[in-house]
Amino acid sequence: MIAFINISNVIKKHMDQRITPSIEITLNNSNFVNVEAYQTDEPVTIVYQYASGIESALLFLKNKYLNTCLIGIFSLDHAQDVESLMDKKLIDHMVICREGWTQRLNQLILQVCSQEEMHWHSISNNDKAMLTSFYIYNLIYGDLGKLTNQRHVKAQIGLQGDPNCAVTIMMDDFWEKCRHYDNHQRYRLKMRCLDLVREVINDLNLDAVVSSLVGTDKLVLLGCFNEEEAVRRIYDAFKVVQSHIAATMDFTVTIGVGNFVSRYQDIDASYEQAFQALAYSFYVGSNSIIYYDEIKNHTTYTSANDEIPSFKYAFFKNISHWNEADLIKEYKKIINGLLQKAFNSETVKSIIMKFNFEVVDYLVAIDAANQVLYKDVINLNSDILRASSLEIIERYFLTFIQNIDSTLQQLKDSDHIKLGVESAKTFIDKYYYRDISLNEAAQVANMSESYFSRKFKEVYGLNFSEYLQNKRLETAKELLEQSNEMILDIANKVGFNDPSYFSKRFKERYHQAPYYFKHCDHRKKQGY
């Protein structure tokens, strides 16, 4: 016996002539009431087209007839409704309204009515994918109370055992490569990657299912693996996945593997671990297989107060006479320094972007014509923000370093003496608070001490010591005017270790001791 519930005339026109319903029910007429009089001990195949409010009719028929098989017809926007009906055991088979679906529906009804055993190959891949997504979603996100009701789905999606390990698969640089794609193009790429992973699962006969995570660049795989051989087997299997995707698509994939769990109800913990493993790809690079167990003790920090002062000091001290290879080497030292401090990825990016601007500020201070580099550094930092790994950041800054080297080379060719003297002045302006010696300033200029002293005074009218002292005093004056810091702290902040010497030099230049200067300035601001 066949019962139709809410089946439209459009669908009926595509029905096989052998499919003749004994009962037809619409949700808004009296036919539903007339079912009360229709008794049968035969199996009843209930074919329904989903609509809001259909659950009560399905429950009524399921309770009235002891032997029922429910076949639901759904559109793609009914995902949550399918999940609800499955929980209430109101779906035995389903058909999604996509290309070729009427043929599948006819085949399905005829097979059920002839009591042929339903095998998965008679249902479309689209339907299987949808059921797989529901199953995985409820395991990693859903209410555990639903899991028992959904265990019968495993046979239909091709999973034999209970999953004991979660794996996340990320398409490397997906958003960067698809930046100019629309949603449909991105979706097709993800589905192609998903199909390739399914091919490997089938080829290697893995007891696993995989689905995409909506709105992300990731796939999630749940598998039932033998723990004794699983680590090696997972690694070998996913090396095949990586090579298969790389050979077929313009993508690599990074894979995160969670720990094994003893109960499938705890698979969400393995999933979270697999996700955390993927985050570590920022440090190890793309196209990696990362086990949570190997990185679980890796701790990252967000505080960047200390940053990388010693690395930066050496960088700016030598920037004007290093070649491109030296600049790259020292830039990498800075990045390695950040890794040793175990900063997280966002903090690392922030510090690097700030440093990039410092480099350009420094070069502009040497020669205002270098302002064209601001455009380069803005583009560089924009790329860094989107970068998924340090490996990619290093690729980006190579071009930036080449531009810096080209700029410095032009300055050297134009007037290397001027470049040396202005580099030293810029270095003093940046690090006046440190114990800079004449020898150190001469090294920045790449000159001998005597030659540097002569040339520096020719350009600025002051010798090195006078210029450094004036810079410190000018900064101290600004701090006395603008801050509430103690005079002793200000003296130390600008590079004077001896407070008495600081007071003496300050009074010589500004004709007031620091205390009176600060006190009088404060009274003026208060209107006294």
Side-chain angles (χ1 to χ4, degrees), residues 191-410:
M191 291 304 101
R192 178 63 182 136
C193 185
L194 182 61
D195 288 341
L196 291 172
V197 176
R198 285 178 178 144
E199 287 178 17
V200 174
I201 289 174
N202 292 332
D203 292 345
L204 299 180
N205 197 28
L206 298 176
D207 188 14
V209 289
V210 64
S211 179
S212 67
L213 290 175
V214 177
T216 74
D217 53 356
K218 299 172 184 66
L219 311 177
V220 58
L221 180 147
L222 303 183
C224 180
F225 302 109
N226 181 332
E227 289 191 44
E228 294 180 0
E229 61 178 12
V231 174
R232 182 76 252 170
R233 194 176 184 204
I234 289 176
Y235 182 83
D236 292 342
F238 287 111
K239 288 306 287 184
V240 174
V241 168
Q242 287 178 323
S243 61
H244 197 34
I245 291 174
T248 310
M249 305 174 66
D250 184 26
F251 277 98
T252 58
V253 293
T254 296
I255 295 167
V257 183
N259 287 344
F260 291 98
V261 293
S262 57
R263 305 186 318 143
Y264 74 90
Q265 291 94 333
D266 299 325
I267 197 69
D268 59 318
S270 181
Y271 167 74
E272 290 296 332
Q273 292 166 351
F275 233 97
Q276 291 178 44
L278 276 188
Y280 194 71
S281 66
F282 180 79
Y283 306 98
V284 299
S286 57
N287 203 32
S288 304
I289 299 176
I290 307 167
Y291 291 86
Y292 173 78
D293 208 41
E294 295 176 358
I295 59 94
K296 63 183 178 183
N297 294 323
H298 176 76
T299 304
T300 58
Y301 301 95
T302 58
S303 173
N305 293 332
D306 190 28
E307 286 194 20
I308 40 172
S310 59
F311 290 108
K312 289 199 294 187
Y313 186 79
F315 191 93
F316 289 118
K317 180 178 177 180
N318 297 288
I319 189 172
S320 61
H321 51 84
W322 272 340
N323 58 30
E324 181 181 326
D326 292 328
L327 290 168
I328 291 172
K329 179 182 176 182
E330 295 304 314
Y331 199 108
K332 287 186 176 181
K333 277 186 182 179
I334 290 172
I335 291 178
N336 290 333
L338 294 175
L339 291 184
Q340 289 172 10
K341 289 177 178 290
F343 290 134
N344 67 16
S345 60
E346 295 309 310
T347 304
V348 168
K349 288 181 181 181
S350 175
I351 293 172
I352 290 174
M353 290 189 294
K354 180 181 175 183
F355 175 68
N356 291 338
F357 270 114
E358 282 189 72
V359 171
V360 174
D361 287 340
Y362 192 85
L363 293 174
V364 170
I366 292 175
D367 190 330
N370 293 332
Q371 290 191 35
V372 295
L373 289 173
Y374 279 122
K375 181 179 179 181
D376 294 334
V377 76
I378 289 171
N379 290 334
L380 170 67
N381 284 351
S382 177
D383 290 334
I384 287 174
L385 273 176
R386 295 192 300 269
S388 58
S389 69
L390 280 174
E391 174 187 48
I392 295 171
I393 290 176
E394 289 186 5
R395 272 204 314 264
Y396 287 143
F397 80 65
L398 286 178
T399 302
F400 180 59
I401 292 294
Q402 289 168 356
N403 291 341
I404 290 174
D405 182 61
S406 175
T407 299
L408 291 171
Q409 193 57 52
Q410 290 175 17

Side-chain angles (χ1 to χ4, degrees), residues 25 43 69 75 118 121 126 141 212 222 232 240 258 263 275 288 310 380 391 403 425 458 468 479 484 500:
I25 302 170
C69 178
S75 63
M118 280 300 304
H121 60 73
N126 287 330
Y141 293 125
S212 67
L222 303 183
R232 182 76 252 170
V240 174
R263 305 186 318 143
F275 233 97
S288 304
S310 59
L380 170 67
E391 174 187 48
N403 291 341
K425 173 188 173 294
E458 285 178 10
L468 176 60
L479 291 173
N484 294 319
S500 299

Side-chain angles (χ1 to χ4, degrees), residues 447-458:
M447 300 175 183
S448 67
E449 289 185 27
S450 58
Y451 187 70
F452 168 72
S453 294
R454 188 166 69 253
K455 289 298 178 182
F456 191 89
K457 188 165 186 176
E458 285 178 10

Side-chain angles (χ1 to χ4, degrees), residues 438 452-453 456-457 460-469:
L438 173 62
F452 168 72
S453 294
F456 191 89
K457 188 165 186 176
Y460 298 108
L462 299 170
N463 64 33
F464 160 75
S465 298
E466 291 170 335
Y467 183 88
L468 176 60
Q469 180 173 276

Side-chain angles (χ1 to χ4, degrees), residues 27 82 119 130 203 326 379 436 460 471:
L27 298 182
V82 170
H119 294 288
M130 191 170 184
D203 292 345
D326 292 328
N379 290 334
I436 303 173
Y460 298 108
K471 177 65 181 176

